């Protein structure tokens, strides 16, 4: 899938929301979607990082993005509903959402998992995605009706399909995302809204470095290497593909 060649105007006129757009894979995806013509909504918790991405998009002459600073740890259903209303008023459409923001938490034996950390990781990796999806669905459905399709992409992990010792809450949260994707994809069949998960595999970011501190990052793929798959799933070439897990770096 990393050999997909996206046309330059793949996402022309589309509006795409990227969560965790200030750093790592999300930052690269936001820049790449903008380079392919999308108006990108940059959601993240650190305004300075989002502003830096905004400036880079503006300097490149791509469609001007929007910035939504929000901490997914504290946001409520009411915040997400307000956000969805603003997007509907401002853009009138939402062609895609990349749920990318994620929290690793502490890798530890199961018996040492702290309740507070369990709640935080589940809040950011699962509950916020559930609530935000719920709030955005009317706009996504409407866009699919008028434009022909819309795409929801959740970010999974290898430990979201096969549990691994010490990966604790993070692994369990990614299993939940795989489940949410399957339930929703089944429900949305024939609506034009496709729902899939993307497992990027080991990628050179801060999160990967904190999980594998002794590893040489130069041996890893960069976020930019993965972008063909991120583009494929967001653009209309993946129309009709739904309910699937896409693995960027199959073994
Ligand atoms: P990074 O840690 O580099 O980036 C994560 C992004 O999520 C950051 O922009 C961060 O914001 C944002 N974020 C974290 N917590 C919150 C929050 N409470 N509210 C809003 N935004 C938040 O991670 P990666 O780029 O490596 O990971 C991206 C996705 O890919 C994650 O879902 C991860 O689980 C998944 N993944 C990554 C792999 C890898 O090897 N890198 C492998 C498999 C899956 P800020 O910068 O402000 O902290």
């Amino acid at each position: 899938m990393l050999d997909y060649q996206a046309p330059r105007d793949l996402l022309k006129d589309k509006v795409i929301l990227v969560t965790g757009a200030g750093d790592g894979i999300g930052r690269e995806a936001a820049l790449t979607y903008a380079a392919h013509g999308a108006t990108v909504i940059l959601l993240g918790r650190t305004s300075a990082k989002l502003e830096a991405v905004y400036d880079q998009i503006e300097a490149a002459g791509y469609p001007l993005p929007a910035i939504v600073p929000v901490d997914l740890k504290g946001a409520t259903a009411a915040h997400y509903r307000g956000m969805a209303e603003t997007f509907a008023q401002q853009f009138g459409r939402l062609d895609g959402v990349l749920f990318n923001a994620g929290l690793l938490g502490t890798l530890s034996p199961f018996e040492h998992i702290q309740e507070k950390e369990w709640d935080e990781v589940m809040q950011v990796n699962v509950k916020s995605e559930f609530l935000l999806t719920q709030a955005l669905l009317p706009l996504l459905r409407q866009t699919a009706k008028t434009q022909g399709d819309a795409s929801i992409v959740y970010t999974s992990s290898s430990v979201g399909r096969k549990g691994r010792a010490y990966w604790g809450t993070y692994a369990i949260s990614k299993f939940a995302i795989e489940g949410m994707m399957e339930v929703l994809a089944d429900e949305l069949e024939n609506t034009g809204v496709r729902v899939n998960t993307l497992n990027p595999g080991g990628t050179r970011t801060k999160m990967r470095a904190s999980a594998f501190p002794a590893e040489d990052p130069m041996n890893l793929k960069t976020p930019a290497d993965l972008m063909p798959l991120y583009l494929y799933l967001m653009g209309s070439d993946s129309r009709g593909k739904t309910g699937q897990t896409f693995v960027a770096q199959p073994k």
Side-chain angles (χ1 to χ4, degrees):
M1 269 298 163
L2 294 185
D3 55 3
Y4 170 69
Q5 292 194 338
R8 213 59 204 162
D9 63 350
L10 179 78
L11 304 175
K12 190 171 177 298
D13 300 328
K14 290 188 187 286
V15 177
I16 292 170
L17 171 66
V18 178
T19 75
D23 214 333
I25 299 171
R27 174 179 175 281
E28 190 66 38
L31 292 168
T32 304
Y33 291 160
H36 285 78
T39 298
V40 183
I41 304 170
L42 308 167
L43 187 154
R45 89 182 136 179
T46 311
S47 293
K49 290 187 184 180
L50 300 177
E51 281 158 17
V53 178
Y54 182 103
D55 290 347
Q56 216 175 320
I57 289 174
E58 186 181 35
Y62 304 146
L64 274 188
I67 289 186
V68 181
V70 58
D71 187 342
L72 299 170
K73 217 189 293 184
T76 62
H79 289 123
Y80 296 128
R81 279 197 298 270
M83 223 182 261
E85 274 166 34
T86 307
F87 299 159
Q89 280 165 15
Q90 206 171 329
F91 303 109
R93 65 192 282 174
L94 185 63
D95 300 271
V97 186
L98 173 63
F99 286 94
N100 159 86
L103 204 58
L104 178 64
T106 312
L107 304 188
S108 74
F110 192 90
E111 284 166 280
H112 295 179
I113 296 173
Q114 301 290 312
E115 185 181 352
K116 183 167 178 288
E117 188 170 85
W118 168 277
D119 287 343
E120 274 180 18
V121 172
M122 285 297 184
Q123 175 71 31
V124 173
N125 293 7
V126 184
K127 190 171 174 190
S128 77
E129 302 203 344
F130 151 64
L131 290 174
L132 185 52
T133 301
Q134 227 180 24
L136 295 176
L137 269 179
L139 188 54
L140 286 161
R141 279 175 185 273
Q142 186 197 313
T143 305
K145 216 182 239 176
T146 54
Q147 308 297 328
D149 72 319
S151 177
I152 298 176
V153 181
Y154 296 111
T155 307
S156 187
S157 162
S158 307
V159 294
R161 283 286 181 190
K162 175 86 181 80
R164 197 184 303 156
Y166 315 124
W167 280 73
T169 316
Y170 177 82
I172 298 164
S173 75
K174 296 296 188 183
F175 266 84
I177 286 305
E178 293 284 358
M180 191 157 81
M181 174 276 283
E182 288 184 6
V183 169
L184 194 56
D186 202 27
E187 255 176 62
L188 295 180
E189 221 187 351
N190 307 321
T191 63
V193 182
R194 61 189 176 283
V195 191
N196 296 288
T197 53
L198 193 169
N199 167 11
T203 310
R204 201 186 304 163
T205 67
K206 285 201 190 89
M207 182 187 285
R208 176 76 188 189
S210 67
F212 295 91
E215 170 181 77
D216 180 358
M218 298 317 282
N219 294 329
L220 295 169
K221 289 242 186 281
T222 64
D225 294 331
L226 310 180
M227 288 305 120
L229 181 54
Y230 280 79
L231 282 164
Y232 172 73
L233 285 177
M234 204 46 87
S236 298
D237 286 336
S238 58
R239 251 186 211 187
K241 303 265 189 245
T242 194
Q244 299 182 34
T245 299
F246 288 81
V247 180
Q249 304 183 59
K251 292 246 158 53

